[in-house]
Amino acid sequence: MTGTLVAQPHVLQTRSRNGAEIHVAPLATAPLVRVHLAWRSDTPTLPDLARAEVFQAHWLTTAKVTALQRLGGTVQVARSQHWLSFAAMAPSTLVQETIDTVCSAAASVQAGDDELRQATDRARRQARSTAARPAAISTELVTLAALGHVPPALSTQLTGPMWDAPTEQDIASFAPRHSTGSPAHLVICGDITPDRTLELACTAMDPLPAGTHRPTPLLPGPVNGDGARQEHTRPGWSVAHLRYAYNGLDRSHPLFPASLLATAALGYFSGRINSRVRERLGLAYRTDASVGQYLDHDMVFVEADVAPGHADTADTEITSIVDTFTERGIEDAELDDVISFVTGQYALALSSQTGLAASLLSYATSGLGVPEISGLPREISGTTAAQVTEAARLVYGAGPAAHVVVRPAIPEEG
């Protein structure tokens, strides 16, 4: 089976003086420029993560950010586990201003008393909102079951006294202290002149401490959960969550592309789990199977959100589907459909500035590397049914490392 052809995008690459990777990708589908900066905050504590949230909340109010917004730019921040990201989009005539604005997130940022208090309040409210979401709670529980603890960077529950700690000096020194010697990636995509943009990017990044020439994986410790089903209840919920975590194949493993197809065969909209559990039996509101990471350790996550009265039946069905797939493997016709879907998703993502920028950043921060943007789909297109079946046995054959069911709590009578 040959899937959709995915061409390697034109990307200029270099490193800053301190080792931050810079990726410049011209794509003139709209007169815009998109700039993303991500740097890794290694081995953070919970107070460090609170400071990170406050730092990001304050950075959004700094002079460079507000100046770009007045010119029509949009600016965003996010944190994904141990990665902090800063992004901006603006008219392509503002490429230098957009690069300089985003790169300012890796520099020292001053905050006065009032600014610190306001940023802390915004970050605390956002953290409380996130911590209360059922999806965040079930994610925390499955992480605990898989690892036996929740590393700070994986915690979704940033609440409590940690928010009383940030000081003006904490915020001023946060970026230099946490980005120095850590992996960092700057991605610039849009209607740009590549050579000139690369020059501007180097000028902006060279003075900054972010980056390293010798990145090392940051691992969560052993994923040694026994996979025994754990039951939890939460008051106020109306939906039950079924969550499973499996050890994935390392991204350097020769069967990693096949493992992506195995997971897609289970989890995409026409995959086995959704087709049976949601479409045919009507047991679930949502199902999913996806490759993810605990820090830099590759995992596979299977999820279903179901009506409380269907939780046990849906759990039995999902377990049976995964077991059957592991034992019997994938059929050729099914593999054709999955390859077509997966490679088509890659091609679609790379056809837009938003998708290309996001793909470059994802490949860079995950450790796959930018060259694999076309290399991985090419390997996927050449994958055989036997390889997918073997990958499925490697990932799913030992059973899940974590198996969690979270139900709504039944109110006590009286």
Side-chain angles (χ1 to χ4, degrees):
M1 168 67 185
T2 300
T4 303
L5 179 64
V6 179
Q8 178 69 17
H10 176 44
V11 183
L12 299 185
Q13 298 183 80
T14 189
R15 286 184 180 268
S16 71
R17 184 177 298 126
N18 289 309
E21 292 188 6
I22 299 172
H23 315 274
V24 173
L27 185 62
T29 54
L32 298 170
V33 61
R34 299 170 189 272
V35 181
H36 296 253
L37 172 66
W39 46 268
R40 193 175 82 181
S41 180
D42 289 350
T43 59
T45 64
L46 287 175
D48 284 333
L49 293 178
R51 295 184 190 103
E53 303 281 353
V54 173
F55 170 77
Q56 289 187 308
H58 172 61
W59 179 76
L60 288 172
T61 67
T62 56
K64 284 197 173 189
V65 171
T66 54
L68 185 66
Q69 290 172 327
R70 283 196 295 269
L71 293 172
T74 59
V75 184
Q76 296 177 315
V77 297
R79 180 177 67 84
S80 177
Q81 299 188 16
H82 52 323
W83 287 96
L84 304 182
S85 63
F86 308 82
M89 178 185 70
S92 54
T93 53
L94 300 175
V95 60
Q96 180 169 357
E97 293 87 345
T98 309
I99 292 171
D100 290 346
T101 297
V102 172
C103 289
S104 71
S108 178
V109 175
Q110 301 301 315
D113 282 340
D114 288 343
E115 294 170 322
L116 176 61
R117 183 167 54 253
Q118 292 169 14
T120 302
D121 287 344
R122 289 194 299 272
R124 182 192 286 117
R125 287 195 301 270
Q126 180 62 41
R128 286 174 175 169
S129 174
T130 299
R133 294 172 187 164
I137 293 169
S138 56
T139 295
E140 187 99 348
L141 291 171
V142 79
T143 301
L144 180 62
L147 301 177
H149 69 294
V150 180
L154 299 179
S155 179
T156 63
Q157 305 297 302
L158 296 185
T159 60
M162 69 189 73
W163 293 101
D164 300 329
T167 66
E168 294 175 38
Q169 181 56 34
D170 288 333
I171 302 308
S173 65
F174 184 85
R177 183 158 52 92
H178 287 273
S179 68
T180 299
S182 293
H185 303 274
L186 179 67
V187 170
I188 306 166
C189 176
D191 186 8
I192 53 178
T193 304
D195 292 335
R196 174 58 178 158
T197 302
L198 189 67
E199 180 183 335
L200 293 172
C202 290
T203 300
M205 285 300 297
D206 277 347
L208 300 174
T212 177
H213 291 278
R214 296 181 179 85
T216 57
L218 187 63
L219 302 174
V223 182
N224 54 11
D226 61 11
R229 175 165 142 168
Q230 297 185 9
E231 292 271 356
H232 301 270
T233 60
R234 288 295 182 273
W237 285 29
S238 59
V239 174
H241 286 186
L242 309 180
R243 299 292 186 263
Y244 315 78
Y246 298 83
N247 271 296
L249 298 185
D250 186 84
R251 297 184 179 221
S252 63
H253 195 288
L255 287 177
F256 177 74
S259 76
L260 296 179
L261 291 173
T263 299
L266 289 173
Y268 84 118
F269 69 93
S270 294
R272 295 191 180 196
I273 293 175
N274 196 65
S275 294
R276 179 163 179 80
V277 176
R278 184 172 181 269
E279 299 297 334
R280 189 176 307 169
L281 299 178
L283 298 175
Y285 304 111
R286 182 188 75 90
T287 68
D288 185 56
S290 61
V291 174
Q293 290 181 305
Y294 280 153
L295 303 179
D296 292 326
H297 179 83
D298 291 291
M299 299 290 296
V300 173
F301 301 100
V302 176
E303 302 182 350
D305 299 346
V306 305
H310 294 157
D312 291 333
T313 303
D315 185 49
T316 299
E317 287 290 340
I318 290 171
T319 300
S320 175
I321 291 167
V322 174
D323 289 347
T324 299
F325 185 62
T326 303
E327 293 168 7
R328 300 180 185 175
I330 193 168
E331 301 292 334
D332 287 338
E334 182 183 14
L335 177 60
D336 289 348
D337 290 341
V338 176
I339 288 178
S340 179
F341 170 77
V342 172
T343 56
Q345 291 293 101
Y346 280 108
L348 183 63
L350 298 182
S351 67
S352 71
Q353 293 174 347
T354 300
L356 176 57
S359 297
L360 287 169
L361 193 67
S362 174
Y363 274 69
T365 57
S366 70
L368 278 169
V370 169
E372 282 300 294
I373 281 185
S374 62
L376 186 58
R378 188 166 54 249
E379 292 179 59
I380 285 172
S381 292
T383 299
T384 66
Q387 289 172 319
V388 174
T389 299
E390 179 61 21
R393 288 171 181 157
L394 291 173
V395 172
Y396 301 105
H403 179 183
V404 171
V405 179
V406 192
R407 308 173 189 265
I410 300 175
E412 296 182 5
E413 296 184 3

